[in-house]
């Protein structure tokens, strides 16, 4: 009988330790839930958060330049481009196209830098991009894309060459 009890003693000790750890963990979890339910701030030294979820310390968040808030009811994505009820209309095809083109152009510049490419290689790549993005010819951000090409090109481009892109 003594041999039987001595064999099970380590298992009882391990089980008792695990039960103690679980009990302490549950106690801390319920304490955390109880504090959140009462609205008490966390004990990490951070400022209290107002009911709206925005910290009162810094004030209202300022939007970046050129960004404005628009109600969801005022924003419409319309393939026809015709405004209905004086709502702001954004063509689905043009959303992000200028950013995509500038990203592709920067990839072309990276590739030319890796291969020690020439201006002629870049012009061939741009002819390919003009085939992929033909809508860019009528896009309002075409001047911005051309300025991006001019400022990031590792070689000189004339005004005629820049105007030739989607021209």
């Amino acid at each position: 009988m003594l041999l039987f009890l001595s064999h099970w003693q380590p298992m009882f000790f391990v089980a008792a330790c695990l039960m103690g750890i679980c009990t302490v963990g549950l106690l801390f979890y319920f304490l955390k839930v109880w504090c959140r339910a009462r609205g008490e701030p966390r004990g990490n030294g951070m400022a209290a958060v107002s009911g709206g979820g925005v910290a009162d310390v810094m004030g209202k968040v300022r939007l970046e330049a050129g960004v404005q808030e628009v109600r969801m009811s005022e924003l419409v994505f319309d393939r026809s481009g015709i405004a209905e009820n004086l709502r702001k209309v954004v063509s689905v095809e043009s959303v992000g196209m200028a950013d995509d083109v500038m990203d592709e152009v920067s990839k072309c510049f990276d590739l030319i830098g890796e291969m020690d490419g020439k201006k002629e290689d870049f012009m061939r790549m741009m002819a390919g991009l003009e085939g992929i993005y033909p809508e860019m010819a009528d896009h309002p951000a075409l001047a911005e894309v051309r300025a991006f090409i001019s400022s990031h090109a590792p070689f000189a481009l004339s005004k005629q060459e820049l105007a030739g892109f989607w021209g």
Side-chain angles (χ1 to χ4, degrees):
M1 177 89 169
L2 187 59
L3 181 66
F4 178 73
L5 288 178
S6 65
H7 176 68
W8 288 100
Q9 277 181 335
M11 293 176 78
F12 285 123
F13 178 73
V14 170
C17 288
L18 288 176
M19 289 296 290
I21 291 171
C22 290
T23 303
V24 171
L26 284 173
L27 178 67
F28 279 116
Y29 175 75
F30 285 119
L31 182 64
K32 179 180 173 183
V33 170
W34 183 67
C35 287
R36 282 191 182 171
R38 291 188 57 208
E40 295 178 5
R42 295 183 186 143
N44 60 0
M46 297 289 289
V49 175
S50 65
V54 178
D56 293 330
V57 177
M58 297 300 289
K60 189 175 179 181
V61 177
R62 183 175 13 157
L63 299 175
E64 294 180 24
V67 176
Q68 66 183 25
E69 290 184 7
V70 178
R71 292 184 189 176
M72 284 300 295
S73 61
E74 295 175 356
L75 182 65
V76 178
F77 292 94
D78 182 21
R79 288 187 182 273
S80 66
I82 301 171
E84 297 177 13
N85 301 328
L86 299 175
R87 293 181 178 172
K88 297 180 184 205
V89 177
V90 177
S91 173
V92 174
E93 289 85 11
S94 68
V95 174
M97 186 189 321
D99 292 332
D100 292 342
V101 170
M102 286 189 276
D103 185 50
E104 292 287 336
V105 170
S106 65
K107 288 178 184 176
C108 290
F109 288 143
D110 292 341
L111 188 61
I112 286 174
E114 290 173 6
M115 296 178 13
D116 291 329
K118 305 280 186 235
K119 184 176 180 179
E120 294 79 26
D121 299 326
F122 175 71
M123 297 305 257
R124 272 182 269 162
M125 289 180 186
M126 287 304 296
L129 281 179
E130 288 174 352
I132 295 172
Y133 298 101
E135 305 90 13
M136 194 67 207
D138 299 326
H139 198 277
L142 180 60
E144 181 182 346
V145 171
R146 287 177 178 161
F148 176 81
I149 294 170
S150 174
S151 65
H152 289 84
F155 36 75
L157 291 169
S158 68
K159 289 184 181 182
Q160 291 82 13
E161 290 171 329
L162 282 174
F165 299 137
W166 292 281

